[in-house]
Amino acid sequence: MVECEVRMGIDLAVKVAAFCRELGDSALADLARSNGLGPLYQHAEQALRAGRIDPQLETQLDALDAMVRRTEGTGLYPSATWRAGYPGQLPGAEAGSGARWWVCPRAWCAGHGRVRSGQLPPRCAASGDPLTAGPLPG
């Protein structure tokens, strides 16, 4: 049985975005494997890549978050104070003018960063699709 604490007050979209950012390298997958949660990680990754964003995926992400908090002291999800004023950081993020909202074409992950002329957009780690730039949400 997988130990899991449901993280109340955190939107599923925030949980998915946090997991999506982890797909860019193998650190979380390696940690999950070394803690006996390799199959759970793989199932969550497959579900996300297939676009199955549902309560089962949320339960799996919460289990991965609990494992990360237990082994590293901080969880997978951003803290409440961090989330309140900062929806996510993607490559190229800078303060000042030029900030734009990067949006996943599948609406799985999002964040903000600086869009420079000619800059290649970051890619969604789950789908591989390039994120699109738009104005910061109201």
Side-chain angles (χ1 to χ4, degrees):
M1 183 170 164
V2 175
E3 177 187 326
C4 176
E5 171 191 333
V6 176
R7 298 289 301 268
M8 303 304 270
I10 299 177
D11 233 22
L12 177 55
V14 172
K15 294 176 182 184
V16 168
F19 183 63
C20 189
R21 283 189 290 273
E22 293 293 329
L23 296 177
D25 63 44
S26 66
L28 182 60
D30 294 342
L31 187 62
R33 273 192 296 281
S34 69
N35 283 277
L37 295 182
L40 183 128
Y41 175 93
Q42 288 177 328
H43 189 271
E45 180 180 8
Q46 290 167 353
L48 179 59
R49 290 186 191 278
R52 289 189 313 270
I53 299 173
D54 57 18
Q56 182 180 12
L57 175 62
E58 183 170 24
T59 299
Q60 294 165 338
L61 296 181
D62 287 341
L64 291 169
D65 173 65
M67 181 258 319
V68 172
R69 278 186 289 113
R70 190 175 56 253
T71 58
E72 297 195 347
T74 19
L76 181 63
Y77 310 139
S79 71
T81 55
W82 179 82
R83 276 192 335 273
Y86 193 67
Q89 182 174 350
L90 292 173
E94 289 182 14
S97 63
R100 305 286 282 182
W101 187 251
W102 288 111
V103 179
C104 175
R106 297 184 186 192
W108 293 343
C109 55
H112 69 269
R114 188 169 179 81
V115 180
R116 293 183 189 90
S117 179
Q119 175 183 352
L120 293 176
R123 294 192 169 273
C124 173
S127 71
D129 296 330
L131 303 182
T132 57
L136 289 169

